[in-house]
Amino acid sequence: MTKVKLRVNGQDHEREVEPRTLLVELLRDGLGLTGTHVGCDTSQCGCCTVHLDGKAVKSCNILAVQAEGREITTIEGLAQGHELHPVQKAFSECHALQCGFCTPGMIMAMSAFLAAKPKPSDEEIYDALEGNICRCTGYVNIVKAVKQ
Ligand code: FES
Ligand code: FES
C-alpha cells in the first residue's frame, strides 16, 4: 500500500491505496464521490472526466498515486454553494441530457474547454466533444448547451 495525499474539491485527503488503484476508484470508492462515473474503463467514453490542476483528464486513465499533491475538482465541486456552474445551468436549460450517465464527464470536459476557449466555433466544439460519448442525446442539445 502507498500513501497518497491530494486536494479534492477544496478539501485535503490522505488515503492508503494499492499502487494499481486508479484515480476514479479512489474518488468513488475511497472518497464517496460517485458523481464521477465509469462507462468503459478504457479511456474512451469520458464519463470519468475530472479536473486535475484545472485541466480535464480521464480519471480512469490515471493512477491515484499520480495525483499526489495535485488539486482535483469533480462534478460535486463545480457549483459555488447553491449556485450551479454556468455549464451545469446550460445543460439543464438546454435539456442536454437524457439518462444523465455521461453528463458529469461532459460538464467537466466542457467547463475546462470553455475556460480555455470562451467563444469556440462549432467545429471546435465538435472536436472538444470527441473524447466524451453520449448514447442518448444525439448531441444536438449538448452542442446547444456548450454554445450557451
Ligand atoms: Fe474513463 Fe470511460 S470510464 S473514459
Ligand atoms: Fe445518456 Fe448521455 S445522456 S449517455
Side-chain angles (χ1 to χ4, degrees):
M1 298 290 266
T2 311
K3 202 172 274 181
V4 58
K5 282 189 198 172
L6 66 177
R7 193 166 173 80
V8 183
N9 300 335
Q11 282 194 317
D12 291 322
H13 296 277
E14 190 174 315
R15 290 287 188 282
E16 294 268 339
V17 296
E18 286 187 49
R20 65 177 180 171
T21 303
L22 299 172
L23 178 58
V24 68
E25 294 170 337
L26 174 60
L27 292 172
R28 288 179 56 85
D29 306 333
L31 303 180
L33 294 169
T34 53
T36 301
H37 293 165
V38 179
C40 69
D41 226 352
T42 51
S43 193
Q44 294 176 65
C45 74
C47 288
C48 64
T49 305
V50 299
H51 296 175
L52 183 69
D53 294 335
K55 291 215 171 87
V57 297
K58 293 178 177 177
S59 59
C60 75
N61 202 28
I62 294 181
L63 295 170
V65 291
Q66 291 177 290
E68 167 69 29
R70 315 281 291 272
E71 178 103 29
I72 289 154
T73 306
T74 68
I75 190 71
E76 290 90 346
L78 205 58
Q80 297 292 317
H82 293 296
E83 185 65 21
L84 289 179
H85 184 282
V87 178
Q88 290 176 305
K89 266 192 207 156
F91 268 66
S92 168
E93 288 169 9
C94 297
H95 196 65
L97 61 141
Q98 286 185 29
C99 78
F101 195 81
C102 70
T103 311
M106 288 275 178
I107 289 175
M108 296 313 287
M110 290 303 100
S111 55
F113 166 63
L114 290 167
K117 196 160 202 52
K119 289 193 188 296
S121 66
D122 287 7
E123 283 303 316
E124 287 169 330
I125 295 172
Y126 303 150
D127 281 352
L129 283 169
E130 196 187 15
N132 290 78
I133 295 172
C134 177
R135 301 186 72 174
C136 306
T137 66
Y139 291 89
V140 172
N141 286 359
I142 290 174
V143 172
K144 208 188 278 178
V146 178
K147 283 175 150 177
Q148 176 167 314

